[in-house]
Amino acid sequence: MPTRNATAATPPLAGRKDGIAVVRRAGYDDIALYSAPQQRCAVDLSDNVNLWGAPPSALVAVRTTIEESVSRYPVAYEPALRNALARHAGVAPEMIVAGCGSDDVLDSAMRAFAEPGDTVCLPAPSFSMIPVFARVNGLVPVAVPLTLQLDADVERMLETRARITYLCSPNNPTGQPFSPQAVERIIDGAAGLVIIDQAYAEFGGESFTRLVMSRRPVLVTRTMSKAFGLAGLRVGYGIGSPDVIGEILKVRGPYRISAPAEAGAIAVLTNDQSWVTERVAEVVANRARFSRELALSGFSPVPSAANFVLVPVENSTALSAKLHDAGIGVRALRALPGIGDALRIGIGPWHLMQRCLDALARAA
Ligand SMILES: *Cc1c(COP(=O)(O)O)cnc(C)c1O
């Protein structure tokens, strides 16, 4: 039992108005929680997941391994998953780091390759989590607007001399891939680690995996949340040279992927890639048809190499609210540099895209 004195010396934080302000970490004051919509829509096209669902082999694997796996730790550093990912990516297992989503790999890479106070350079607009991961790790995000062609502005990005340079190709939310010339020039000239986030590489643009063995440190990140239909299992991965991967593994730590998630991911990678390839082909066909229909209705969608389309609109908040009332969830984006307001709309089975077009026609 604590003595009276000990209790008096350490008053409980609750009840003291300034308690948290005194002890919390400086620089976290205006970091907000991720604001994903809380209410799900009948048709949710807002978060770029696989709208056909999960690959059947993953569901079977999760079900059949659950009893034996839940009470035990998985094998540290998931060698079986790394082997399966390495075969899929065409690299050695020492060149793979998996994570609790690729978010985990991105976050760990920032801790591994930058010291508090260092700079993270990223294009604008790009993946909204990057400035957040930078700031929670004590780093300073510096956003450099895309060129008019929506490519990376190489000179301005290199001028930042950032400890970490982030590129996303195809880029979220524009859907455009970066040109290989721009990516290669950034790798040649960057002061520190270059991260190329390829969460949407299955849907178009070039794979930049070949660049991870450059003279300069490069990390390519990929995910099983989008094309592979496993967003709820939380499995992502990074590809890099063994020394880059070794540093990230130190930071990431063991046991980050649950045993059922590992089993589900391995099952798709080894038995069900054709399910993924077929869905990707449907996305590519429906993306072209959806973009054509939008253009016929007077919209100017940005040409996309991903499983979503960015559609510039006058007032994205008002329009997305109307779509929401009609049961269609899309991502409303405000005042994007060089683009303005826009809706980001995920691509899925055609009957969903038709419902979205019908709701847009009534709402616009
Ligand atoms: C969805 C997404 C991710 C991360 O997804 P995980 O589910 O954490 O793997 C990473 N980068 C971009 C650009 C994304 O859109």
Side-chain angles (χ1 to χ4, degrees), residues 91-272:
V91 299
E94 305 75 52
M95 296 174 67
I96 296 284
V97 52
C100 175
S102 53
D103 283 359
D104 186 25
V105 178
L106 293 164
D107 179 49
S108 301
M110 287 196 196
R111 266 195 305 293
F113 284 92
E115 311 271 356
D118 282 341
T119 310
V120 176
C121 179
L122 71 154
S126 196
F127 185 35
S128 61
M129 290 305 293
I130 296 303
V132 178
F133 292 145
R135 294 186 52 213
V136 297
N137 287 305
L139 309 174
V140 181
V142 176
V144 173
L146 296 173
T147 65
L148 291 177
Q149 293 74 39
L150 303 181
D151 204 350
D153 189 334
V154 175
E155 301 311 325
R156 284 195 56 203
M157 291 188 84
L158 290 180
E159 275 165 20
T160 65
R161 306 310 298 150
R163 188 76 175 258
I164 292 180
T165 303
Y166 171 88
L167 300 171
C168 181
S169 183
N171 189 28
N172 178 4
T174 61
Q176 294 243 328
F178 290 139
S179 66
Q181 296 88 324
V183 172
E184 284 167 28
R185 281 172 58 212
I186 285 177
I187 291 172
D188 284 342
L193 178 73
V194 176
I195 299 176
I196 312 170
D197 182 339
Q198 297 223 273
Y200 301 99
E202 289 85 358
F203 303 104
E206 258 192 65
S207 163
F208 290 117
T209 302
R210 64 187 162 80
L211 300 177
V212 301
M213 289 313 274
S214 320
R215 279 181 305 113
R216 310 282 314 156
V218 174
L219 176 72
V220 168
T221 60
R222 299 271 194 121
T223 182
M224 307 211 55
S225 300
K226 308 288 163 56
F228 281 82
L230 301 181
L233 288 187
R234 312 299 304 123
V235 182
Y237 59 105
I239 309 167
S241 62
D243 47 350
V244 166
I245 295 302
E247 291 306 304
I248 299 172
L249 277 172
K250 282 185 207 168
V251 170
R252 193 217 63 172
Y255 310 131
R256 294 290 292 173
I257 292 119
S258 75
E262 187 179 5
I266 290 174
V268 192
L269 289 163
T270 47
N271 305 321
D272 230 0

